[in-house]
Amino acid sequence: MSEKTPVDFWFDPLCPWAWMTSRWVLEVEKVRDIEVRWHLMSLAVLNEDRLDELEEWYRELLTTKAWGPVRVVIAAQEEHGTDVLGDLYTAIGTRFHNQGMGPEKEAVAAALQEVGLPASLMDHWDDTPYEEQLRVSHKEGIEKVGQDVGTPIIAVPGPDGEQIAFFGPVVTPAPKGEEAARLWDGTLAVASVPGFYEIKRTRTKGPDFSNL
């Protein structure tokens, strides 16, 4: 059997669009020979030097809700290994987005319990000694694509051995089956072209979690 292609995926559990993309990539994992490797990034870190430029609702979200979840997740990674990230992200994201609980302590605590991680990880919500590790993980992803993007970031091996990295794709609802495969193949096709930067159109609806 051929070795699976590694797909590195950087996420912040706060973002509903990253959540949608992550569910699509997991669908692709069923129909293409890939293996997703999860990494943490932080919208709070990404925007900490330009909070004054943001809309008030987004600035409030980042300053009051964004730090707690990523502190808990980075603590889980550092104390229990990177293998816990995928299941923990699924448990958190399902509560935040599909179930509409939002980025609250109760949602993260329930997610920890679901995946068998200790409740003591919630002690990191307001402060963690692992902030430097969070920033290193964030920097690793963002340096592949530049500062003018958000989450998710995806990186895959290119034909010359160098990684191809990109933000997105932003899509709703998360494609399934062969539709997921077609989007994957097309995304890799455009991302692998040297000098290709952007395809974009105005979003006409919000995240649709109805098929998740």
Side-chain angles (χ1 to χ4, degrees):
M1 294 179 61
S2 61
E3 188 173 318
K4 291 182 180 293
T5 300
V7 174
D8 292 295
F9 190 107
W10 279 263
F11 69 93
D12 184 324
L14 183 72
C15 179
W17 295 102
W19 172 246
M20 199 81 63
T21 306
S22 73
R23 301 309 95 180
W24 161 68
V25 167
L26 287 179
E27 187 72 13
V28 174
E29 202 174 39
K30 302 175 185 176
V31 293
R32 290 290 185 267
D33 200 22
I34 69 168
E35 182 177 20
V36 183
R37 303 188 300 198
W38 303 100
H39 308 270
L40 194 60
M41 64 181 295
S42 168
L43 290 171
V45 172
L46 180 67
N47 292 285
E48 63 184 349
D49 293 329
R50 54 191 184 101
L51 289 173
D52 291 343
E53 305 170 16
L54 304 178
E55 293 183 42
E56 183 177 353
W57 70 268
Y58 191 45
R59 181 168 62 249
E60 182 177 357
L61 179 68
L62 293 180
T63 55
T64 63
K65 300 292 186 181
W67 280 104
V70 293
R71 286 175 178 143
V72 173
V73 174
I74 195 65
Q77 173 188 299
E78 293 303 306
E79 295 183 6
H80 300 276
T82 57
D83 288 347
V84 306
L85 288 183
D87 288 344
L88 181 56
Y89 182 27
T90 292
I92 290 175
T94 298
R95 287 168 172 79
F96 280 12
H97 307 299
N98 298 12
Q99 297 176 7
M101 295 177 69
E104 303 296 336
K105 281 187 173 183
E106 294 79 4
V108 177
L112 291 173
Q113 183 178 23
E114 177 185 327
V115 300
L117 289 170
S120 59
L121 287 169
M122 291 301 299
D123 295 342
H124 295 266
W125 183 271
D126 293 314
D127 184 57
T128 181
Y130 304 120
E131 183 174 320
E132 181 59 30
Q133 288 89 331
L134 169 63
R135 291 178 179 275
V136 168
S137 180
H138 174 89
K139 183 179 179 182
E140 181 185 6
I142 208 71
E143 283 187 341
K144 296 179 184 296
V145 290
Q147 290 287 333
D148 56 341
V149 302
T151 178
I153 294 167
I154 295 175
V156 298
D160 59 358
E162 295 290 326
Q163 274 194 321
I164 299 168
F166 49 89
F167 161 71
V170 176
V171 61
T172 189
K176 301 288 187 178
E178 189 53 36
E179 185 182 17
R182 286 197 303 271
L183 179 57
W184 178 254
D185 295 342
T187 300
L188 293 189
V190 296
S192 64
V193 175
F196 177 84
Y197 295 110
E198 187 171 2
I199 289 178
K200 192 171 185 178
R201 55 188 173 190
T202 300
R203 301 178 199 177
T204 57
K205 63 177 183 177
D208 179 357
F209 308 123
S210 60
N211 67 343
L212 299 179

